[in-house]
Amino acid sequence: MPASPHILALSTCWNSHRHTEGRALVAEVIELGFEWIEVSHGTKISLLPDLLGAAESGEIKISSLHNFCPPPVEIMMDAPDAYEFTSAKAWERQRAIALTQKTVRMARRFGTDRVVIHLGTARVRGYTAKLEALAMAGQLYSREYSDLKLKFVMEREKASAKALDQVRAALDQVLPVCEEEKVRLGIETRSHYEQVPTEREMAILLEHYKDCPWIGSWHDFGHVQRQANLALLDHGLYLDQIAPRLIGCHVHDVKWPMRDHRAPLSTGGVNFGQLLPKVPEGLPLIWELSPGNKRQDVEEALIQWAGKSMA
């Protein structure tokens, strides 16, 4: 592939489930043409020793880790939101904090200074699925849709202050470990409006931690596009707002309105040509793809990506 102003990486969420040996996972990634990987939250603990060895030997470069990594041993599935900073249960909040601290320390072992984090979910009834169903039925601009969206936004705003208080309390316990290990946390943009942060909440958090070198934003193109498809935000404006604080991005396409984690440039759901120039140079662009994408899908997407000089 041609020289790139960004770091192009592949998340292990695409192929980790198919491998029992970490070096086989790495070999497949290298065969595709990637030099970097993100070690994702669903990566089995049994794969980590080999992945660490491959990173230490220089076989593969590590762009980032996605919380939680290693995953909690008591959860038998890929569940990055099994424990949330916003949980109503204190022990769950504390478990999320402890697992995040562990991920930060693991990131340093992998030689990367970036960890992607989810913050949680506000305590409000979620209407995202209903809005998506209405959009799918061609009712995006109907009275029913508008009324439901307005109700959702108003209820979500009422739940915001409590969620932000819990998030800040959790982050303040993780940041000393970030300082110790010299690892940054990337607050990921989410796909559901009930999740934290909303566009407004991201701005509040980035302002609150403006003097903290260990907090930044992490732009997920597919997630934000899903909210844009529901007329909840403007994708380009959101990216403009957080670009100065970006430490990385997740890249995937969206089949309208909500089927995300598709190979980039495969559905035309995300206007990468317009949006990618907003991303500062030198940052990692992580292809975060569903395992349902076949290898041929990834290969064809890479050819298109290089041909359009998107990287």
Side-chain angles (χ1 to χ4, degrees):
M1 285 180 282
S4 167
H6 301 111
I7 297 167
L8 196 64
L10 182 66
S11 170
T12 60
C13 69
W14 175 66
N15 68 339
S16 64
H17 70 289
R18 295 200 303 273
H19 293 284
T20 57
E21 297 181 359
R23 285 237 164 41
L25 181 157
V26 168
E28 183 177 27
V29 171
I30 293 172
E31 287 173 4
L32 284 169
F34 290 94
E35 298 178 7
W36 298 77
I37 60 170
E38 174 177 281
V39 185
S40 189
H41 47 73
T43 307
K44 298 185 290 290
I45 292 176
S46 60
L47 296 177
L48 296 184
D50 267 5
L51 294 180
L52 279 166
E56 290 169 357
S57 67
E59 295 171 50
I60 198 71
K61 300 173 186 175
I62 309 299
S63 61
S64 46
L65 265 62
H66 195 313
N67 210 28
F68 307 113
C69 180
V73 294
E74 67 274 19
I75 303 296
M76 304 306 292
M77 63 184 71
D78 181 9
D81 302 309
Y83 302 109
E84 296 185 319
F85 296 152
T86 55
S87 173
K89 300 176 182 178
W91 74 267
E92 288 189 357
R93 296 196 300 274
Q94 200 56 48
R95 182 66 172 141
I97 292 166
L99 288 165
T100 305
Q101 292 170 332
K102 193 172 184 178
T103 302
V104 170
R105 292 192 172 97
M106 181 63 77
R108 178 45 56 202
R109 291 183 62 190
F110 268 106
T112 182
D113 69 344
R114 294 178 173 92
V115 167
V116 186
I117 59 171
H118 295 175
L119 296 184
T121 307
R123 293 184 213 168
V124 63
R125 182 177 178 183
Y127 292 102
T128 294
K130 289 185 177 181
L131 291 178
E132 290 172 341
L134 286 169
M136 284 286 289
Q139 300 298 309
L140 184 60
Y141 300 106
S142 67
R143 172 60 64 185
E144 180 183 3
Y145 185 93
S146 298
D147 289 346
L148 182 61
K149 186 176 79 168
L150 178 60
K151 178 182 180 181
F152 190 13
V153 171
M154 292 176 65
E155 291 184 5
R156 180 66 180 81
E157 280 297 299
K158 292 178 182 178
S160 179
K162 178 66 173 179
L164 287 177
D165 284 345
Q166 291 176 320
V167 163
R168 285 187 289 257
L171 291 175
D172 288 347
Q173 292 187 58
V174 178
L175 286 173
V177 182
C178 293
E179 171 70 33
E180 177 185 343
E181 302 291 346
K182 301 297 184 284
V183 169
R184 294 176 287 172
L185 302 176
I187 299 173
E188 185 174 1
T189 54
R190 304 307 309 279
S191 59
H192 288 56
Y193 193 66
E194 53 266 37
Q195 295 170 325
V196 182
T198 62
E199 183 179 9
R200 185 183 68 83
E201 289 168 347
M202 178 72 87
I204 291 172
L205 288 168
L206 293 179
E207 175 64 21
H208 180 80
Y209 291 105
K210 64 182 178 181
D211 297 322
C212 176
W214 311 116
I215 294 283
S217 55
W218 192 278
H219 190 77
D220 188 299
F221 282 90
H223 290 174
V224 174
Q225 189 60 49
R226 287 180 60 174
Q227 289 203 39
N229 288 346
L230 299 181
L232 289 165
L233 51 78
D234 181 288
H235 195 155
L237 290 178
Y238 193 4
L239 183 51
D240 283 336
Q241 291 166 12
I242 66 176
R245 297 287 296 279
L246 270 178
I247 67 171
C249 302
H250 281 151
V251 177
H252 49 100
D253 217 333
V254 178
K255 184 177 181 180
W256 195 91
M258 74 286 191
R259 191 181 178 198
D260 56 2
H261 298 282
R262 304 296 96 198
L265 305 175
S266 65
T267 69
V270 178
N271 189 342
F272 289 109
Q274 179 187 67
L275 296 169
L276 278 175
K278 300 175 182 290
V279 177
E281 293 186 2
L283 296 183
L285 302 178
I286 318 297
W287 283 28
E288 191 183 45
L289 309 181
S290 162
N293 290 273
K294 298 178 181 178
R295 176 165 175 151
Q296 182 178 348
D297 299 332
V298 182
E299 291 172 337
E300 291 176 354
L302 281 169
I303 292 171
Q304 289 191 65
W305 189 271
K308 293 178 180 292
S309 300
M310 304 292 289

